[in-house]
Amino acid sequence: MNKQLMYGTYAIGEAAIQAGCTCYFGYPITPQNELPEYMSRRLLEVPGGVFIQAESELAAINMVLGASVAGARVMTSSSSPGISLKQEGISFLAGSELPAVIVNIVRGGPGLGNIAPAQSDYFQATRGGGHGDYKTIVLAPASVQEMADLTFLAFDLSDQYRMPALILGDGMLGQIMEPVVIPARKKKKLPEKDYILTGARGRPARLVKSLILDTRQMEDHNWKLVRKFQRVKQNETRWESFLLEDAEMVVIAYGTAARIAKGSINRLKKEDPDIKIGMIRPITLSPFPEKIIRETAGKVSDFFVFEMSTGQMVEDVKLSLEGRGTVHFYGRPGGVSPTPAEVARIMARHYPQSKSTGKK
Amino acid sequence: MNKQLMYGTYAIGEAAIQAGCTCYFGYPITPQNELPEYMSRRLLEVPGGVFIQAESELAAINMVLGASVAGARVMTSSSSPGISLKQEGISFLAGSELPAVIVNIVRGGPGLGNIAPAQSDYFQATRGGGHGDYKTIVLAPASVQEMADLTFLAFDLSDQYRMPALILGDGMLGQIMEPVVIPARKKKKLPEKDYILTGARGRPARLVKSLILDTRQMEDHNWKLVRKFQRVKQNETRWESFLLEDAEMVVIAYGTAARIAKGSINRLKKEDPDIKIGMIRPITLSPFPEKIIRETAGKVSDFFVFEMSTGQMVEDVKLSLEGRGTVHFYGRPGGVSPTPAEVARIMARHYPQSKSTGKK
Amino acid sequence: MLIKTMFSGFGGQGVLSTGQTLAKAAMLENKHVTYLPSYGAEVRGGTANCTVTISDKDIASPIASEPEFVVALNQPSFFRFQNLLRAGGFLLYNSSLVKPASVRGDIETLGIPSTGLAADLGNVRVSNMVILGAFIRISNLISLKLLLKNLPDILGPGKLRLLEINKKAFQAGYNYIKE
Amino acid sequence: MLIKTMFSGFGGQGVLSTGQTLAKAAMLENKHVTYLPSYGAEVRGGTANCTVTISDKDIASPIASEPEFVVALNQPSFFRFQNLLRAGGFLLYNSSLVKPASVRGDIETLGIPSTGLAADLGNVRVSNMVILGAFIRISNLISLKLLLKNLPDILGPGKLRLLEINKKAFQAGYNYIKE
Amino acid sequence: MKKVYSRPKSLKKVPMHYCPGCGHSIIHRLIAELLDEMSLRETAICVPPAGCAVLAYNYLDIDMVEAPHGRATAVATGIKRVRPDNMVFSYQGDGDLAAIGTAETLHTANRGELISVIFVNNAIYGMTGGQMAPTTLAGQITTTSPSGRNTKTEGPPIRVCELLSTLENTTYLERVAVNSPANIKKTKKAIKKAFQHQQKKTGFSLVEILSSCPTNWKMDPLKSCRWIDEIMVKEFPLGVIKEVKC
Amino acid sequence: MKKVYSRPKSLKKVPMHYCPGCGHSIIHRLIAELLDEMSLRETAICVPPAGCAVLAYNYLDIDMVEAPHGRATAVATGIKRVRPDNMVFSYQGDGDLAAIGTAETLHTANRGELISVIFVNNAIYGMTGGQMAPTTLAGQITTTSPSGRNTKTEGPPIRVCELLSTLENTTYLERVAVNSPANIKKTKKAIKKAFQHQQKKTGFSLVEILSSCPTNWKMDPLKSCRWIDEIMVKEFPLGVIKEVKC
Amino acid sequence: MKGKILIDKQFCKGCRYCVEFCPKGAIRLSTALNSKGYSFAEFDEKKSCTGCATCALMCPETAIEVYRE
Amino acid sequence: MKGKILIDKQFCKGCRYCVEFCPKGAIRLSTALNSKGYSFAEFDEKKSCTGCATCALMCPETAIEVYRE
Ligand SMILES: Cc1ncc(C[n+]2csc(CCOP(=O)(O)OP(=O)(O)O)c2C)c(N)n1
Ligand SMILES: Cc1ncc(C[n+]2csc(CCOP(=O)(O)OP(=O)(O)O)c2C)c(N)n1
Ligand code: SF4
Ligand code: SF4
Ligand code: SF4
Ligand code: SF4
Ligand code: SF4
Ligand code: SF4
Ligand SMILES: [Mg+2]
Ligand SMILES: [Mg+2]
């Protein structure tokens, strides 16, 4: 497909269609309404395409469960309050080992909050806002192109590991248009869906559930999910690094915050070419790229975490480092998107004194 | 009141009544049904008492919001899946700065899971399973007596700081009977509820909400919530320690797991009086008693975390230590309650070799 | 001292109230005590059981891992729960309903025809209290005298009319062992 | 090079499509570009605005902090958004609707009677494209020639019937500045 | 000359954020007039929804608490049970009340909570930009029903008053509209009746108000008033659907 | 002698966990008989609820997926839309369908999803130990209505069939009972009809089955059968509530 | 018509439905208990069972098989 | 009866309700715009306004005050 100027939400939608998604269930909420709207039009054109505007987010996530167990590639999307309502369903999907792609275009919170871009649902996404021991895959795009690319990835990973995959965007990424190329689907070899319900024709009846009354079996199931997630961690952890080689300080940020931070680094470099700031941008927030961060700690002592929240991912950075470096944090919650200039100012303040150049 | 043999759920219920709780809204779910059942009987006897079996957990948490903003002391309770459904409401309560006491008698998860005691909702409780930047107070009783005592505390803290307070129990604590004395309420001096809705008679109209469209204001609100929680942390962090003085290894566990762990320590001590294992039992899981743990790290190098989950609080222990000690973890998820003997075996295995006595 | 006892039988046999009676009696003797009923989907009309732990110190875990005693009021419990007993443990059963077949070698067992004895007292429903009387004699965990003294408190105002028949039941069980 | 432009006006004035047209044209010249509409509860029938960022490198932040250009199609936008402009920035406005009162001293301003010019073309609705033509001339961000060439692609198949009138509008605006 | 109409006291003197011709604005005014006329300003507590009316607290000068989307009647239940002497009402859109809030609406009505519901039916999701609502008409095009609502797969529009009328504890249910002077007068009377039912503690009261959303209907305001008359009332007949003696 | 009745093939030969005399067991058997007789075993997909019937998958030998409490019709919707040729039905209790699942029930019915719902009304929350259900009768004592359901504050029992009958896309709604041989025969016919409506794609079908819960009603099984006849049917009259031509 | 029934006593939970509804009074409850502790239903061969299957229709446990000549 | 009205032109959003529903045709829309960019309603003193308040009843913005003799 050609390069197009596309909304982030449309890029997700079109990538989903190209990835073979035939079902979408959702409920309107700003700032992601353009995604269900797009799907309502596009799925009319897809053979067997199903679009339902559900009566609520609860209904939507459970329709997702139904379509998934029936074997379809299925997606839902919402924004913060709506995602809170889906937590029970996500826990059920994880417990029942069902694939599904769930998009959260995060807005300011808590409560009704506002509709500006925020990153305050990191904990909910990565720690399981739902009950029980489970993890999901969480992907964090930083551009419209990546919204498309990670949507393909989300469907594949979700099917491959039989677990829900979340795409954690924010109001900014949901609303902007950028040039994007929607690639054709590269068909990955994925395990056959031998668990789906089709009617017990010529085979024993199948059962998909999360109820396991026997505590020993339940424990086994829990550890199985842990092991599965460890495999995901081993094989699927993704990040982007930038100017890491000779960095004196490393910035860690994701999504829109990472774009801003990159702009800040470039600014500082322009002002002072000797300044050496690198960056690690987690692309998978869960599994978190802790290995690269820990490795970097051998060479760098200062880490600067920037989030559009009061500080959530910073815990994962600290858990990765386990005391092996100084962690500085800058947060702008509530829907504020600071300018690269502002973040650059704060970054410079934390740049290791002894190593700062020029002004020594 | 005299000593009585009481169910954990009844102890919460009676303590709530004594603490001045006049409203309960809930929806049945095992293993905590005895609490709403108790409240349905007891609130008939309380002047102005309100008991509603809501049509769902969602309705229940929002009735709680209504009763709270109307000025009542109000409680709801549920177990894991039901608590997931309440996450949007909890986020609204936190955002609107409304007090409420929310009881989670945790069961095995994820999904429908089972009804056996588990500790797998720690992340959800302490990291905000709901969307947005907020924290709640989380109290973890380890006995029926403490279920009563912490219920009093939960109401007071919730009113004092205008934030929801969670009581995180488990199926074991919910089901057992133990001797308990329900004390009379000690009336604490609490701030006047000058925000509640009573009709705008003789004063300007009041407004309680979480919508803040202006992002700067929203950010201020977010940081205000952070500062408030820091005050809670400073003033209200609670834990119990046990044999900490000369410990060579420190066990960290809460709730039912802490009881089991204490039994394990006692067993090991009986077998070998020279063995020196101490314990820290967090009573407030949020705020987490990180200071005492960090301080202990000066004297002790080995920490043994035991949870009835695949490992959640262990992250808070690591965050407290920031690399200042070795953290061993033992987890039994899915509703399994191991015996003190079993946990003792694992503990002994991790007891620092050089320091182990006798068998040297 | 930390002793766990599991009571088990059909739902209707008063298994849970037997356990609660023991637990309350122990509490009134100022012992540490926990009472844990079993529950769960599988209970539907099936068996019920509960565990009473009595100790002179804090009780770490209220669950019945390796109890010292099992009191089995019916056949399925007799089979199922003897396996839980620690080596050297004691299995007391209602010999009116239980055939004591295939028993582990490393435990003690004793049958008492509690349904029969209760019938003799004119009320088969106190069969559970008969066996509790016997249990008290065997276990020596609490004092029968104090139990009888505290019985009005234990039964509570609602059940005072059952005071006498319960007393008789305890004594019948207690004395059955004496003989 | 990284240039931000904010377009603003009433909901019905085609503010958003003006921005999108610029963004698409820039994309087709292989520039880096982002388009960010404003949205929100306060939009209800009020003003609309959007920000187009054009650069030859990755764009860090698509939001209109200190834009280089503001294009104001109505009076409220003229007042409100001139404050956003960076010092030395440029404020282009529709002088058919805007009275250029109380202007900051550190910016350049220029009015163009785009509604009037559009009316001359026989369709006031292309007033926004007239002003875009003028903007292209002033900003030099994209080439008018390429825009006109790419116009069918930019409009898309649904709006091809508007091709000619749009072309005329661009040229009218562009030429107005030339004169 | 005597002033015969001026702004009610309970309506704050600030411009509203609603689009030109939006029915919400008219309904706000009617409520404010009644708060004044019935002397309710000092006892009223309103629960506005998530929906275009989410900012109602900027306009009505009474105590208010914001509910999560769909949960206004549950919140109102909590308030009313604690403060039975206050006049408690919720103000809800069709998405709020009849989609996500279906369970709360039905069960609050069934319990016969002594609250009043002002239900603004504009056949669309206004606030989020014109998606299909549970009350969207057959064939109506919205941003999520691009080829028109298909009643075979998306169901016909839900008639809230009729549905609730089967519940014993609902005591006053009327459907009105704010598209003409006569209808606006009836609307005011209906809201007054609902408040009176609450005062007399007869049961649950609800006024369904057909209200225009020119923006999302993509009509000018006058056309949307006509559309209510010509199209909408066919699906949603006006009148008292249920009333028990007060 | 010829075998004239034996266990249906679709009913696995394992003892059920239900209490003695529980209606769920009878209903399971009827479904299994129909799966056999209508040759549906290979196309049927069942969505059991959270409720006493949560373990239905242990008994019915067909494909099944467990839904969260109250969400069975949403799950069934997802399945049916993907697999329109399968026979998709949910099996739900009164708490599941008419309390927490109210919104899903109503909207699934309104959309006219081509599924069938087996709705087991035992006027109580069986699984969780006898709390008040939306269908609990006036005055009925439960563990959370210790002085009997007060219809003034807790509302009267909800009549699901009557409520749904007002929705256009519901095409078959019948209320039956499993408390006597004659009623059980009618129940089987009703379930068959529902499945046929699904096969003919007429719309949403639901069979409400009055079913005893001796345990939580605290009655012996026979008494509970009589209670259905003497008390329960007064509130929940038996019969076809709605049927469109199939 | 002549019939007989077979009752699987391990499945029976003694609900008495078959006992109550058998038009011929051909079923009674045992005094013995099955392994789950229930008195179970017993067929009385001496009564004139018609093989009408009413008992099987009522039986919640599907414990009854019916035979007819 | 004789009446007159006062229109707050800054509140007016030009919806035309008053214009359409005034029985006396006493209101028209301005060609000028208010600060929010709306054509606003103007009272035509020359028409025989009766002070019937229909315009105020319809006005969504409560922009109209009505006076009557
Ligand atoms: C849980 C949740 N889901 C979705 C939303 C987004 N939302 C806000 S208002 C609304 C619907 C608005 O429609 P309606 O209730 O009809 O009110 P109107 O704006 O038409 O007056 C929606 C879907 C939300 N705020 N919270
Ligand atoms: C979200 C959630 N809330 C509550 C429960 C607990 N729960 C399980 S079944 C049930 C109700 C059972 O009643 P009903 O639906 O009438 O089925 P029955 O057991 O009577 O057949 C409840 C409340 C749950 N599993 N999940
Ligand atoms: S979108 Fe519709 S309902 Fe919302 S303010 Fe505008 S006209 Fe009114
Ligand atoms: S509790 Fe009631 S519904 Fe559940 S199995 Fe027992 S009798 Fe049946
Ligand atoms: S088949 Fe008929 S007659 Fe024979 S035992 Fe059964 S019910 Fe009685
Ligand atoms: S109906 Fe079935 S379960 Fe009941 S007594 Fe007869 S055989 Fe036993
Ligand atoms: S008061 Fe009546 S006559 Fe006068 S302007 Fe208003 S509507 Fe017209
Ligand atoms: S009705 Fe009000 S808002 Fe509308 S045009 Fe008249 S004065 Fe203006
Ligand atoms: Mg609406
Ligand atoms: Mg039920």
Side-chain angles (χ1 to χ4, degrees), chain D residues 27-168:
Chain D
M27 174 185 81
L28 293 173
E29 292 187 21
N30 281 317
K31 301 212 153 75
H32 290 254
V33 58
T34 63
Y35 162 88
L36 175 71
S38 81
Y39 53 91
E42 79 274 27
V43 177
R44 299 271 154 279
T47 56
N49 69 70
C50 67
T51 304
V52 176
T53 306
I54 297 175
S55 175
D56 45 16
K57 287 203 292 286
D58 276 3
I59 295 168
S61 169
I63 56 167
S65 51
E66 311 202 326
E68 277 76 10
F69 295 96
V70 164
V71 179
L73 274 66
N74 69 359
Q75 192 75 51
S77 312
F78 180 89
F79 286 134
R80 189 164 158 207
F81 294 117
Q82 62 170 270
N83 298 321
L84 273 187
L85 270 174
R86 65 161 52 199
F90 198 105
L91 175 59
L92 179 65
Y93 61 92
N94 176 355
S95 59
S96 310
L97 296 180
V98 172
K99 285 189 213 88
S102 60
V103 176
R104 270 166 63 182
D106 59 346
I107 57 173
E108 263 183 277
T109 60
L110 184 70
I112 155 168
S114 56
T115 312
L117 293 171
D120 294 350
L121 296 174
N123 186 344
V124 285
R125 306 210 59 186
V126 295
S127 154
N128 58 333
M129 295 302 168
V130 172
I131 209 163
L132 183 56
F135 173 78
I136 290 168
R137 178 82 179 89
I138 291 163
S139 67
N140 241 335
L141 271 173
I142 60 166
S143 129
L144 181 67
K145 227 173 95 190
L146 287 175
L147 167 63
L148 294 179
K149 199 183 118 210
N150 291 329
L151 202 55
D153 271 5
I154 291 173
L155 290 177
K159 290 195 171 166
L160 274 190
R161 68 204 153 76
L162 300 174
L163 191 61
E164 280 315 309
I165 180 80
N166 272 305
K167 279 190 176 172
K168 281 191 198 144

Side-chain angles (χ1 to χ4, degrees), chain E residues 6-49:
Chain E
S6 64
R7 192 178 191 83
K9 278 220 189 65
S10 299
L11 193 67
K12 297 187 211 170
K13 188 143 178 75
V14 289
M16 302 204 226
H17 70 289
Y18 299 107
C19 309
C22 174
H24 279 301
S25 326
I26 301 177
I27 299 165
H28 281 25
R29 171 168 49 78
L30 298 180
I31 292 172
E33 290 173 12
L34 287 167
L35 291 173
D36 287 1
E37 293 165 20
M38 297 174 76
S39 304
L40 293 174
R41 212 198 63 88
E42 302 195 325
T43 61
I45 300 176
C46 172
V47 186

Side-chain angles (χ1 to χ4, degrees), chain F residues 4-15:
Chain F
V4 293
Y5 186 82
S6 64
R7 192 177 192 84
K9 277 219 190 66
S10 299
L11 193 67
K12 299 187 207 167
K13 188 142 176 76
V14 290

Side-chain angles (χ1 to χ4, degrees), chain C residues 136-149:
Chain C
I136 291 169
R137 178 83 180 89
I138 290 162
S139 68
N140 240 334
L141 272 173
I142 60 165
S143 128
L144 180 67
K145 225 173 99 190
L146 287 174
L147 167 62
L148 294 179
K149 200 182 116 206

